[in-house]
Amino acid sequence: ADLTGDLRRITRRLREVARSAEISERLDVLSLDEIGDLVQAYNEIQDRVQTQQETLQQEHRRLLALQAISSRISSIFDLEQLLDELAKSARTIFEYYNTLIFLVDEQNHALRLASSGRLISEEQRDRFLQAESQEILAGIVGSGEPHNITEVAPDYVDIVSSADVRSAIVAPMLVGGKLVGVFVTESDK
């Protein structure tokens, strides 16, 4: 192998990357010596930078989408319409299987399903109103902290909207330190 030629090739590629935002082209590993190790390390760094760029681009798109939602909901004065827009938008933007918003019904000391990002059946809606579901949700939000359900176990099956749900995040909605509702995001991944 031509040591000087390999080093020039690597140096040229590093300079190209330094001048450009585009870093998709990998270098071929042509030898199994120290130069090959250097090329392999370069490719690993390039992969990592590319992954970070993709993550930043995705976050940028989400922030723009949140800005658009904020603009849309700032003109909504009807609570039901506002909750529907929030549930549907969160589901779409963050690519959740579903989002659900429960509000505290102080008169009946229960949570009622106020909105869902995806249409759910009457049977599903009724299931959320069962005592077991209410107890599970109350236990989760009792601490006032979000709860991450990484694998939907049989204990949680009554509070998710579908058998397709694999994980969920349950977050209390607090106003002035008082629980007013629960925001649930569901994922099928």
Side-chain angles (χ1 to χ4, degrees):
D2 177 21
L3 178 65
T4 306
D6 288 343
L7 285 173
R8 282 188 184 133
R9 185 172 58 96
I10 294 167
T11 303
R12 184 176 50 247
R13 185 64 189 129
L14 286 170
R15 285 191 177 131
E16 288 172 7
V17 169
R19 289 186 210 117
S20 171
E22 181 60 39
I23 59 165
S24 60
E25 186 179 319
R26 296 171 55 88
L27 292 173
D28 293 329
V29 178
L30 300 176
S31 63
L32 299 176
D33 56 9
E34 291 80 4
I35 298 297
D37 291 344
L38 180 61
V39 170
Q40 190 170 1
Y42 164 81
N43 286 337
E44 290 171 8
I45 291 170
Q46 182 174 323
D47 290 344
R48 186 168 181 189
V49 169
Q50 189 169 5
T51 299
Q52 289 173 341
Q53 282 183 333
E54 290 167 1
T55 300
L56 283 172
Q57 289 170 349
Q58 183 179 28
E59 289 302 313
H60 180 73
R61 284 191 300 273
R62 286 181 175 174
L63 286 172
L64 289 175
L66 286 172
Q67 183 181 21
I69 290 172
S70 175
S71 178
R72 277 198 314 264
I73 66 173
S74 66
S75 62
I76 299 174
F77 297 104
D78 177 69
L79 179 62
E80 189 173 315
Q81 185 182 358
L82 174 68
L83 295 176
D84 283 343
E85 181 66 32
L86 284 173
K88 288 175 185 163
S89 295
R91 176 181 169 258
T92 303
I93 289 171
F94 297 108
E95 300 172 0
Y96 292 127
Y97 176 81
N98 197 8
T99 53
L100 305 136
I101 298 175
F102 296 88
L103 294 179
V104 173
D105 179 349
E106 290 181 355
Q107 187 174 11
N108 295 319
H109 303 288
L111 293 167
R112 75 171 173 81
L113 180 62
S115 186
S116 175
R118 174 184 283 258
L119 290 176
I120 60 174
S121 69
E122 287 298 319
E123 177 187 331
Q124 290 168 317
R125 189 176 291 270
D126 291 344
R127 190 177 69 222
F128 291 125
L129 300 175
Q130 295 173 358
E132 303 85 46
S133 300
Q134 295 287 314
E135 287 175 29
I136 292 168
L137 282 172
I140 289 172
V141 300
S143 70
E145 297 293 322
H147 185 77
N148 188 8
I149 304 169
T150 54
E151 289 189 33
V152 175
D155 294 350
Y156 297 115
V157 79
D158 288 331
I159 64 165
V160 296
S161 64
S162 167
D164 295 331
V165 174
R166 298 287 173 252
S167 62
I169 297 174
V170 180
M173 297 167 49
L174 304 169
V175 174
K178 179 180 177 186
L179 180 70
V180 296
V182 180
F183 188 81
V184 180
T185 59
E186 300 177 329
S187 176
D188 56 355
K189 297 176 178 111

